[in-house]
């Protein structure tokens, strides 16, 4: 940490690197033979959850899992979720490949075991490679090793192999992708900014740290924050860009609910959204500095959504501090798979079309366990009309009922594009 370097045990002759290359060749050979054996086994085996009946025949899932590199399920769940957000994923997959090395090392696998300078690693490039490896069906599981070591390089918070918070990782990932896309890419002068950014007016553009990119163009929305002084009535308004909304689970629903126990009404996503946007009085630790009264006064606060994003990311705040521990709120929150209606939370709903505020679920990240530093992350996501469960290297087809029973931690809703079909509104 002191010198921003990695510790390696290698000789001056680079013998460890030679062993790595030899083992990689053996792994590739073994993988080819194993894939051949699996193909023969699948041809003679009955239908299983890796295949789906279509018109009397069978079709392969073609989904690829992600290997766990040591408590990296938090990363795998986020990557699989983002890979199933079509517009976002396609943008990166269509970027031109960038070769970071040249000369004798060109075409050989990179092991990011030492600090190589900011110009030698690219989060965008490794993210692109990972997305391209998914949904090809060419391998049972992809090892995101190169991406993970780039993350270690540019995000020191995630160095090591301890369990991390998936939401915190997602925010760091999106923020760094946004910043790197703004900068020149591998020496090129052109930044990979969002193709739609020129058509967005300056008043509604979600500019986080500068010009808009594909990150802010897809995930970016704008909140209006209204604060009213309870003494003189002065109102203060400001606009805050966001990439996701962190929602509290209302206190009346925080008792743990077992599968067969009825403890009262079920908490819904609408309850969480209403709690986020409802008028509230700020407590003594958050007194508002009133410019008219010239001192801190009691005040109220209310959020409105001024601009909805194309992909609405909702984070349920399941972890909270009590005394010296960070506990988990294990409450089940009911959420819709289709037709999430956000119109009632808009600042100016009259300016929106009848279906412009409807969202359909694309992915769900679930935390299994009791604490943020332990447990396990998996993800559910929909791809071409089918739901899949991503559990590190294992990918299985699943039913909508299983998704709806999940205790969601992060929800990804995609803006509905077509006007046909009627979904159940939230």
């Amino acid at each position: 940490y002191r010198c921003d370097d990695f510790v390696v045990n290698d000789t001056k002759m680079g013998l460890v690197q030679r062993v790595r290359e030899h083992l990689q060749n053996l792994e590739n050979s073994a993988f080819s033979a194993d894939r051949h054996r699996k193909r023969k086994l699948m041809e003679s085996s009955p239908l299983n959850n890796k295949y789906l009946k279509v018109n009397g025949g069978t079709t392969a899932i073609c989904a690829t899992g992600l290997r766990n590199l040591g408590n990296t399920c938090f990363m795998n769940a986020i990557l699989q979720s983002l890979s199933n957000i079509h517009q976002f994923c396609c943008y990166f997959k269509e970027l031109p490949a960038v070769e970071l090395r040249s000369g004798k090392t060109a075409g050989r696998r990179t092991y990011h075991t030492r600090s190589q300078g900011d110009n030698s690693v690219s989060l965008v490039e490794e993210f692109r490679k990972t997305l391209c490896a998914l949904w090809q069906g060419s391998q049972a599981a992809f090892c995101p090793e190169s991406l993970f070591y780039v993350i270690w390089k540019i995000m020191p918070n995630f160095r090591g192999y301890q369990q991390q918070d998936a939401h915190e990782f997602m925010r760091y990932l999106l923020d760094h992708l946004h910043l790197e896309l703004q900068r020149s890419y591998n020496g090129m002068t052109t930044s990979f900014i969002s193709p739609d950014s020129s058509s967005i007016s300056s008043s509604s553009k979600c500019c986080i740290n500068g010009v808009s990119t594909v990150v802010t163009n897809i995930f970016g929305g704008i909140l209006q924050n209204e604060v009213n002084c309870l003494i003189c009535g002065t109102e203060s308004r400001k606009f805050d860009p966001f990439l996701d909304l962190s929602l509290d689970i209302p206190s009346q629903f925080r008792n743990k609910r077992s599968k067969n126990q009825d403890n009262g009404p079920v908490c819904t996503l609408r309850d969480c959204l209403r709690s986020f946007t409802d008028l509230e009085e700020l407590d003594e630790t958050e007194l508002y500095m009133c410019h008219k009264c010239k001192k801190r006064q009691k005040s109220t606060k209310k959020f409105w959504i001024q601009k909805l994003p194309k992909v609405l990311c909702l984070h349920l705040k399941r972890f909270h501090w009590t005394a010296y521990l960070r506990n988990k709120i294990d409450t089940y929150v009911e959420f819709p798979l289709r037709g999430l209606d956000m119109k009632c939370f808009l600042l100016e709903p009259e300016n929106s079309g009848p279906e412009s505020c409807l969202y359909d679920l694309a992915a769900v990240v679930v935390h299994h366990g009791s604490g943020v530093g332990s447990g396990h992350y998996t993800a559910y996501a929909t791809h071409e009309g089918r739901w899949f469960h991503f559990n590190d290297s294992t990918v299985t087809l699943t039913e909508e009922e299983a998704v709806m029973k999940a205790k969601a931690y992060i929800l990804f809703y995609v803006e509905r594009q077509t006007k046909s079909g009627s979904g159940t509104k939230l």
Side-chain angles (χ1 to χ4, degrees):
Y1 281 92
R2 186 183 298 276
C3 65
D4 189 29
D5 204 351
F6 292 99
V7 178
V8 293
N9 297 314
D10 205 347
T11 66
K12 293 182 179 179
M13 301 297 294
L15 296 178
V16 174
Q17 180 64 24
R18 294 184 190 178
V19 172
R20 285 176 176 151
E21 294 171 358
H22 179 65
L23 291 175
Q24 184 62 40
N25 291 332
L26 291 176
E27 181 183 346
N28 292 338
S29 300
F31 177 75
S32 298
D34 185 56
R35 186 170 56 182
H36 180 69
R37 287 194 299 270
K38 285 183 178 179
R39 187 181 297 113
K40 282 190 172 182
L41 180 63
M42 288 177 182
E43 290 173 354
S44 59
S45 64
L47 188 70
N48 57 33
N49 60 4
K50 281 289 184 182
Y51 281 79
L52 184 71
K53 289 184 178 179
V54 177
N55 297 328
T58 61
T59 179
I61 288 179
C62 294
T64 301
L66 288 168
R67 293 182 186 175
N68 193 312
L69 305 177
N71 283 328
T72 57
C73 56
F74 68 93
M75 176 180 73
N76 293 346
I78 294 299
L79 292 176
Q80 293 286 13
S81 298
L82 295 177
S83 75
N84 285 282
I85 298 175
H86 181 73
Q87 188 177 2
F88 184 72
C89 180
C90 286
Y91 176 86
F92 285 93
K93 289 169 67 174
E94 292 172 0
L95 289 177
V98 176
E99 180 54 65
L100 299 178
R101 295 161 292 142
S102 59
K104 294 181 179 180
T105 60
R108 288 166 55 186
R109 184 176 180 180
T110 301
Y111 288 87
H112 295 285
T113 53
R114 296 189 65 84
S115 176
Q116 301 174 7
D118 292 338
N119 294 328
S120 63
V121 295
S122 169
L123 180 63
V124 170
E125 172 65 3
E126 294 302 336
F127 185 67
R128 182 195 69 81
K129 289 179 181 177
T130 301
L131 294 181
C132 289
L134 303 177
W135 292 107
Q136 292 183 346
S138 58
Q139 52 188 326
F142 176 74
C143 182
E145 183 184 37
S146 296
L147 173 62
F148 190 45
Y149 284 123
V150 170
I151 289 170
W152 278 24
K153 171 66 181 175
I154 64 177
M155 305 180 200
N157 302 39
F158 297 96
R159 289 179 183 174
Y161 295 97
Q162 66 273 23
Q163 183 66 278
Q164 302 280 0
D165 185 356
H167 175 251
E168 183 180 4
F169 171 75
M170 182 197 73
R171 285 306 313 268
Y172 270 89
L173 178 66
L174 292 179
D175 287 344
H176 280 82
L177 287 172
H178 171 67
L179 292 174
E180 188 173 317
L181 287 168
Q182 287 180 319
R183 296 195 297 263
S184 59
Y185 191 69
N186 196 37
M188 297 172 63
T189 57
T190 303
S191 298
F192 286 88
I193 62 174
S194 167
D196 298 332
S197 61
S198 59
S199 63
I200 304 174
S201 65
S202 58
S203 61
S204 63
K205 186 188 297 182
C206 180
C207 292
I208 302 174
N209 297 325
V211 69
S212 178
T213 67
V214 67
V215 175
T216 54
N217 187 42
I218 290 180
F219 290 95
I222 299 177
L223 285 175
Q224 178 176 292
N225 184 0
E226 295 181 356
V227 179
N228 284 276
C229 176
L230 292 177
I231 307 302
C232 68
T234 299
E235 183 180 88
S236 174
R237 297 180 182 178
K238 68 174 183 176
F239 294 96
D240 297 317
F242 68 88
L243 294 179
D244 70 308
L245 298 178
S246 291
L247 311 178
D248 280 307
I249 297 175
S251 57
Q252 65 267 30
F253 298 109
R254 291 188 183 182
N255 293 329
K256 290 187 177 181
R257 298 176 56 86
S258 64
K259 202 169 187 180
N260 301 318
Q261 183 179 3
D262 186 9
N263 292 342
V266 175
C267 180
T268 67
L269 191 57
R270 186 181 185 87
D271 294 320
C272 300
L273 285 164
R274 187 186 293 115
S275 176
F276 178 79
T277 56
D278 275 354
L279 185 71
E280 66 170 321
E281 184 174 341
L282 299 177
D283 58 33
E284 296 292 333
T285 61
E286 299 178 301
L287 292 179
Y288 165 66
M289 182 65 187
C290 180
H291 298 289
K292 186 175 181 179
C293 298
K294 304 299 183 183
K295 63 178 181 179
R296 297 188 179 276
Q297 300 283 28
K298 289 186 176 182
S299 55
T300 60
K301 179 180 69 174
K302 181 174 176 58
F303 284 121
W304 294 96
I305 298 178
Q306 197 267 343
K307 173 184 174 291
L308 282 166
K310 296 176 181 176
V311 174
L312 178 64
C313 179
L314 302 175
H315 161 235
L316 298 178
K317 296 163 71 172
R318 291 195 174 274
F319 301 106
H320 67 108
W321 287 100
T322 57
Y324 303 102
L325 300 175
R326 195 179 186 191
N327 294 331
K328 180 183 177 182
I329 302 171
D330 205 37
T331 304
Y332 170 73
V333 177
E334 189 177 76
F335 54 90
L337 296 185
R338 302 174 189 85
L340 170 61
D341 193 350
M342 295 294 294
K343 192 169 186 177
C344 62
F345 305 108
L346 280 178
L347 178 64
E348 299 175 343
E350 65 277 3
N351 295 334
S352 303
E355 292 196 7
S356 61
C357 304
L358 292 180
Y359 287 79
D360 297 324
L361 189 65
V364 185
V365 174
V366 181
H367 178 268
H368 311 268
S370 58
V372 67
S374 60
H376 183 59
Y377 286 98
T378 65
Y380 293 93
T382 179
H383 183 81
E384 296 181 351
R386 292 174 285 169
W387 280 97
F388 297 84
H389 185 212
F390 298 91
N391 185 2
D392 286 335
S393 59
T394 303
V395 183
T396 55
L397 280 165
T398 190
E399 301 294 333
E400 290 186 353
E401 290 74 15
V403 181
M404 295 176 66
K405 292 178 181 178
K407 291 183 178 179
Y409 182 48
I410 306 173
L411 298 145
F412 296 88
Y413 280 94
V414 177
E415 183 182 35
R416 183 177 291 181
Q417 298 296 323
T418 61
K419 293 185 177 181
S420 61
S422 58
T424 302
K425 291 187 178 181
L426 178 65

